[in-house]
Amino acid sequence: MSEKTETSEPTPEPGVEDELVTTSHTLTTSAGPLHYTAKAGRVVLYEDKVDDGVWQGRKARAQVGVTAYTLDDADPAERPVTFAFNGGPGSASVWLHLGVLGPRRVVMGDVGDLLPPPYALADNPESLLTVSDLVFIDPVSTGHSRVVEGQKAADFHGFTGDIESVGEVIRQWVTAEGRWMSPKLLAGESYGTTRAAALAQHLQSSGMYLNGLMLISAVLNFATNRFQPGNDAAYAMFLPFYAATAHYHGKHPGRELDEVIAEAEAYAARDYPYVLSRGSRLTAEERAEAVTSIARLAGVSEEYVDRANLRLEHLRYFTELRRDEGLTVGRLDSRFTGPAASGIAARMDADPSMDVILGPYATAYQHYMRAELEVKDPSPFHVFGPNVIGEWSYKEFENAPVCWTGSPVRCGRTRTCRYTRLSATSTAPPRSPVRRRIWPTWTSRSPCRPISSAGTTRPAT
């Protein structure tokens, strides 16, 4: 007598299946040509369906945009694979894909020498593909990623739902491609670092141990970038960035950038938090000294700092720095400026750096997918998913700032003793005032220690 056994292999639903196109390419680098395979399109995200304790099979929930690059003829046991994504939340992975890590990059010019549409693409010989295979993931509702019929997109628009869905995409890809024995890393930017840190613990709890994290423009404790009453941490944390921005815009004539940053970091680490904590207990002399120091480092007037009660909020700062010239400074990249809509506005009405980069990246990506990777998906490509950030749920952190610091890194290092962490705070598309090219020195036998890099950069998105 035979017994019927359940299988966890999903059965494709009508009209819902993986849509992937495979193409072959060559990247020329200083070390020689790299022959690699690209596999791009959408994969079906499944979940186990259980009703009243009865297993109903694995059901499709969404089709998720994935672009994978794998080196030809490499040994999977030795060749690392890096899963990469941007943040937002609600952003597609186009920025890391075509701006930093991928084998092709956007050609759009730079500050003072921007190219007009339709822009161009070029090989990226500094791609991370030289040392690791790459898988770029567009979370649900971004890029071409969509829920399937009968599913709610809002179920994916939150801290836990996002982690679980991206984690399942990674697990499915590793299984389908036979890469369980490959060294595995995560690379996240901005909110993507929050996702990466939580994903590390989520994946390890289900049996997938990682070899490292790359945290680019990290934000693991939201108290460090939330300018809210009662939270003074952000004002001190942003001061070195303000100082670097002010230096770029000529507010520190005759001084070296490193000197300015060092002074700002020292003040932000010790004196600034003390000054803010004293409040009305500051003497007139102490307050005057603080006003002078903050104004000088940030490149704004003492009157403005005094009226701001020693607290420079970032959107107001970008509006103020070059207000007398009728210019607003960029938030994502503070080298860029644009005309201010109003000379008396308290906050910027638009980010001139986003205005500059959005068109080139969106244009180049859609051309690249169709013309080079041969993906014919006709659906709209969302650089930023509609309404995603507005309905994003942080219910897990109710009445507290989102904070995910350390526990997954400690978890990974303790369990695997082969855990590497790279913190790169200044690599983002395009460049910020202080840009230090930082790539991980990685081997499959990396020592059990964190690798970090300190720098001054733009705030996270």
Side-chain angles (χ1 to χ4, degrees):
M1 180 177 178
S2 63
E3 294 183 357
K4 182 179 180 180
T5 59
E6 294 178 341
T7 174
S8 61
E9 290 298 317
T11 300
E13 299 179 16
V16 181
E17 56 187 14
D18 289 352
E19 303 168 352
L20 295 171
V21 179
T22 302
T23 52
S24 298
H25 307 266
T26 300
L27 173 65
T28 301
T29 72
S30 58
L34 290 180
H35 303 289
Y36 66 94
T37 297
K39 189 178 290 187
R42 297 194 293 183
V43 298
V44 180
L45 172 64
Y46 291 94
E47 71 168 350
D48 288 323
K49 184 69 174 178
V50 179
D51 287 335
D52 195 25
V54 178
W55 187 71
Q56 303 292 331
R58 286 178 60 75
K59 303 297 184 180
R61 298 190 67 198
Q63 289 180 294
V64 179
V66 172
T67 304
Y69 300 102
T70 54
L71 190 68
D72 295 346
D73 302 320
D75 181 358
E78 292 293 328
R79 178 73 172 170
V81 56
T82 299
F83 299 92
F85 32 74
N86 282 97
S91 175
S93 63
V94 60
W95 313 107
L96 286 180
H97 191 168
L98 293 185
V100 182
L101 303 179
R104 298 280 278 167
R105 64 176 180 83
V106 176
V107 178
M108 54 165 280
D110 207 342
V111 177
D113 188 26
L114 293 170
L115 299 179
Y119 316 107
L121 284 163
D123 279 350
N124 179 17
E126 296 175 315
S127 169
L128 196 66
L129 186 61
T130 58
V131 294
S132 172
D133 290 343
L134 295 167
V135 180
F136 295 96
I137 300 171
D138 291 333
V140 174
S141 297
T142 74
H144 290 296
S145 299
R146 304 287 190 274
V147 294
V148 301
E149 184 177 352
Q151 296 289 324
K152 294 181 179 179
D155 291 343
F156 298 89
H157 300 167
F159 181 82
T160 297
D162 174 70
I163 291 165
E164 291 175 346
S165 60
V166 174
E168 180 60 12
V169 170
I170 292 173
R171 189 202 67 80
Q172 289 182 188
W173 188 92
V174 168
T175 301
E177 298 296 327
R179 300 299 294 267
W180 275 96
M181 296 301 289
S182 297
K184 291 174 282 293
L185 301 93
L186 303 179
E189 181 269 344
S190 193
Y191 183 81
T193 64
T194 309
R195 177 187 294 126
L199 260 177
Q201 182 165 313
H202 173 76
L203 291 172
Q204 288 171 165
S205 68
S206 60
M208 182 181 291
Y209 287 8
L210 302 175
N211 295 80
L213 297 179
M214 284 175 267
L215 307 179
I216 304 166
S217 292
V219 52
L220 300 181
N221 182 348
F222 282 26
T224 62
N225 73 344
R226 290 294 186 266
F227 298 87
Q228 297 172 330
N231 175 39
D232 283 337
Y235 301 103
M237 295 292 288
F238 271 60
L239 185 62
F241 167 67
Y242 295 159
T245 298
H247 183 277
Y248 180 85
H249 290 282
K251 304 295 184 178
H252 291 284
R255 299 190 68 189
E256 294 294 327
L257 176 61
D258 287 346
E259 175 191 351
V260 172
I261 291 175
E263 181 185 355
E265 288 177 338
Y267 188 83
R270 185 184 64 182
D271 296 343
Y272 202 1
Y274 171 79
V275 165
L276 295 179
S277 70
R278 294 291 290 171
S280 60
R281 293 173 293 174
L282 284 173
T283 66
E285 292 77 12
E286 288 173 329
R287 183 181 177 89
E289 182 180 351
V291 165
T292 299
S293 296
I294 297 167
R296 175 171 47 79
L297 288 167
V300 294
S301 70
E302 293 186 11
E303 179 188 12
Y304 182 79
V305 174
D306 193 36
R307 286 189 287 113
N309 196 25
L310 310 179
R311 293 162 173 82
L312 303 183
E313 191 275 335
H314 70 315
L315 298 182
R316 295 176 183 268
Y317 172 77
F318 301 134
T319 309
E320 181 66 23
L321 183 64
R322 297 186 63 175
R323 181 192 297 274
D324 58 347
E325 302 169 70
L327 297 174
T328 297
V329 172
R331 173 178 177 267
L332 292 177
D333 186 331
S334 59
R335 298 173 307 145
F336 286 93
T337 60
S342 170
I344 60 171
R347 297 188 180 190
M348 62 200 307
D349 66 300
D351 180 353
S353 57
M354 175 57 74
D355 291 343
V356 166
I357 66 176
L358 180 59
Y361 277 79
T363 298
Y365 184 86
Q366 295 183 79
H367 167 80
Y368 177 54
M369 284 289 115
R370 290 167 173 80
E372 299 188 22
L373 299 189
E374 302 179 12
V375 175
K376 305 304 182 184
D377 190 337
S379 64
F381 176 78
H382 296 309
V383 175
F384 298 105
N387 303 319
V388 173
I389 194 168
E391 64 185 30
W392 198 264
S393 172
Y394 295 104
K395 62 183 180 181
E396 299 83 357
F397 301 91
E398 190 171 359
N399 296 324
V402 178
C403 183
W404 201 268
T405 55
S407 58
V409 175
R410 291 196 302 271
C411 177
R413 293 175 62 202
T414 300
R415 292 181 181 178
T416 69
C417 203
R418 290 290 185 272
Y419 204 85
T420 299
R421 176 168 58 91
L422 170 76
S423 178
T425 58
S426 59
T427 303
R431 302 176 185 85
S432 53
V434 181
R435 185 174 186 269
R436 299 173 184 174
R437 300 299 290 271
I438 307 170
W439 296 119
T441 301
W442 193 94
T443 69
S444 60
R445 297 294 181 267
S446 298
C448 185
R449 66 175 187 273
I451 297 176
S452 64
S453 175
T456 304
T457 180
R458 66 175 181 82
T461 54

